[in-house]
């Protein structure tokens, strides 16, 4: 069952990452709506599978060591590559903001409305939010262990996220993305099954349709509808265990490169032909190829670190 759910989210996240790439390529455009839903799916997936894997009781030291070995090394490899790209283009690196980025705290600059003085920083806010989630996960998991408290947390956080998204303009759809982490944990801790999963699919399609109908001049309605659409999509993904993706299942192979694609794509937009679609296709090809190389490099370094630690403790 979890394997089928994992496949659903793997494919959905790959589709979402290319939506994010397209959204930034064509920015500003109406694509910000599916991009926001995609970010919600990313966050929900992290919360859901973290809850399913670790539960409410975990060794915090081992938890963080695993995360740093699996994600931290890859992150620093990515930042090292981006620093070379920025330096090659003559961008600024000799600033303390660069250190903030290497520490994974780029989001702090965004959230405090501090103008970034480094050539790095694009897209790194999500990594900061991910670190915040890992820090609060033990408390959040214990809070959502009883079904009643999980339901209260889900309803309360949804209402607060919608309110803050409308009244606290921090950017990056921060509050709805944060909501995804919370609802993912709440749902993952309980593991309920929505037998009428087609209803979730219908709700997702209905929400998307209403967003198209009300996309002009109704920001408040948009926020609520985006939240409904994102929640409905994730409910469908966690319950449509018999859905046949057919040829789309091959997309799941790209899931390993999502972190790299997310963090590097805006730095590798290329315009050799000055034809929008051709340049987008070329850029995506380069981005995926570079992401694959960075991923393998990060995993290789991480494996060496784990191997040395295992040898030292033997």
């Amino acid at each position: 069952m979890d394997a089928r759910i994992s496949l659903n989210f793997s494919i959905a996240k790959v589709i979402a990452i290319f939506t994010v790439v397209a959204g930034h390529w064509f920015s500003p455009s109406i694509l910000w709506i599916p991009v926001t839903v995609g970010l919600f799916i990313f966050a929900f997936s992290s919360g859901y599978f973290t809850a399913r894997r670790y539960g409410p009781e975990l060794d915090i030291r081992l938890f963080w060591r695993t995360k740093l070995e699996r994600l931290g090394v890859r992150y620093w490899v990515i930042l090292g590559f981006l620093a070379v790209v920025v330096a090659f283009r003559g961008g600024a690196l000799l600033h303390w903001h660069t250190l903030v980025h290497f520490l994974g705290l780029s989001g702090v600059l965004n959230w405090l409305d501090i103008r970034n003085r480094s050539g790095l920083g694009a897209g790194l806010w999500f990594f900061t939010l991910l670190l915040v989630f890992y820090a609060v996960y033990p408390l959040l998991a214990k809070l959502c262990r009883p079904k009643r408290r999980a339901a209260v947390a889900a309803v309360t956080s949804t209402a607060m996220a919608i309110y803050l998204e409308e009244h606290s303009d921090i950017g990056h759809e921060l509050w709805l993305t944060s909501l995804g982490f919370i609802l993912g944990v709440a749902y993952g801790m309980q593991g309920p099954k929505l037998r009428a999963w087609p209803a979730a699919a219908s709700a997702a399609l209905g929400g998307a349709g209403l967003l198209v109908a009300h996309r002009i001049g109704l920001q408040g309605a948009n926020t609520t509808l985006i939240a409904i659409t994102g929640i409905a999509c994730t409910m469908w993904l966690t319950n449509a265990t018999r859905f046949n993706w057919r040829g789309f299942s091959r997309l799941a192979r790209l899931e390993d490169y999502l972190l790299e694609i997310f963090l590097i794509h805006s730095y590798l937009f290329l315009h050799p032909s000055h034809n929008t679609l051709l340049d987008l296709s070329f850029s995506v090809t380069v981005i995926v190829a570079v992401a694959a190389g960075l991923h393998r490099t990060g995993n290789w370094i991480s494996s060496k670190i784990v191997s040395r630690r295992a040898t030292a403790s033997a």
Side-chain angles (χ1 to χ4, degrees), residues 86-87 90-102 105-110 112-122 124 267:
V86 170
L93 285 176
L94 299 179
H95 195 280
W96 67 270
H97 286 179
T98 298
L99 177 61
V100 172
H101 299 315
F102 269 90
L105 301 177
S106 305
V108 175
L109 298 179
N110 298 132
L112 295 179
D113 197 24
I114 298 174
R115 182 182 176 186
N116 179 30
R117 301 290 184 177
S118 170
L120 298 175
L124 302 184
Y267 293 87

Side-chain angles (χ1 to χ4, degrees), residues 62-301:
L62 179 61
F63 176 78
W64 273 101
R65 187 174 70 189
T66 301
K67 295 303 179 185
L68 289 175
E69 289 174 351
R70 187 171 67 88
L71 291 177
V73 173
R74 287 171 58 195
Y75 176 78
W76 288 315
V77 168
I78 295 168
L79 264 288
F81 167 78
L82 292 180
V84 172
V85 172
V86 170
F88 180 78
R89 294 177 175 175
L93 285 176
L94 299 179
H95 195 280
W96 67 270
H97 286 179
T98 298
L99 177 61
V100 172
H101 299 315
F102 269 90
L103 291 175
L105 301 177
S106 305
V108 175
L109 298 179
N110 298 132
W111 304 332
L112 295 179
D113 197 24
I114 298 174
R115 182 182 176 186
N116 179 30
R117 301 290 184 177
S118 170
L120 298 175
L124 302 184
W125 66 271
F126 189 87
F127 192 82
T128 305
L129 188 59
L130 190 62
L131 294 180
V132 172
F133 164 66
Y134 289 146
V136 302
Y137 169 75
L139 294 176
L140 184 59
K142 290 179 181 179
L143 172 67
C144 294
R145 187 172 188 175
K147 183 173 294 186
R148 181 174 296 180
R149 288 197 301 186
V152 171
V155 173
T156 302
S157 59
T158 299
M160 289 181 61
I162 293 173
Y163 176 84
L164 289 171
E165 197 68 61
E166 295 177 6
H167 297 87
S168 178
D169 186 16
I170 293 180
H172 306 301
E173 307 300 327
L174 174 67
W175 303 115
L176 290 183
T177 305
S178 301
L179 174 65
F181 286 111
I182 298 171
L183 295 188
V185 172
Y187 198 72
M189 288 299 301
Q190 302 305 318
K193 298 303 172 187
L194 184 65
R195 294 180 180 179
W197 64 262
S202 299
L205 291 174
L210 288 173
L211 279 168
V212 172
H214 295 283
R215 68 183 183 274
I216 300 175
L218 293 175
Q219 182 63 39
N222 277 345
T223 302
T224 303
L225 289 172
I226 289 172
I228 292 172
T229 302
I231 293 170
C233 285
T234 52
M235 291 301 97
W236 178 76
L237 291 168
T238 50
N239 290 279
T241 55
R242 296 183 180 180
F243 183 77
N244 188 349
W245 287 96
R246 300 182 184 276
F248 285 97
S249 59
R250 295 181 180 180
L251 289 175
R253 301 174 186 176
L254 297 177
E255 183 188 16
D256 290 343
Y257 313 141
L258 292 180
L259 178 65
E260 286 79 6
I261 293 173
F262 190 94
L263 297 184
I264 71 173
H265 72 271
S266 62
Y267 293 87
L268 297 180
F269 283 157
L270 306 172
H271 304 272
S273 71
H274 300 289
N275 178 287
T276 299
L277 295 181
L278 286 177
D279 288 345
L280 175 59
S281 299
F282 179 72
S283 297
V284 169
T285 301
V286 172
I287 290 166
V288 172
V290 172
L294 292 173
H295 176 80
R296 292 169 185 170
T297 301
N299 277 357
W300 179 80
I301 295 175

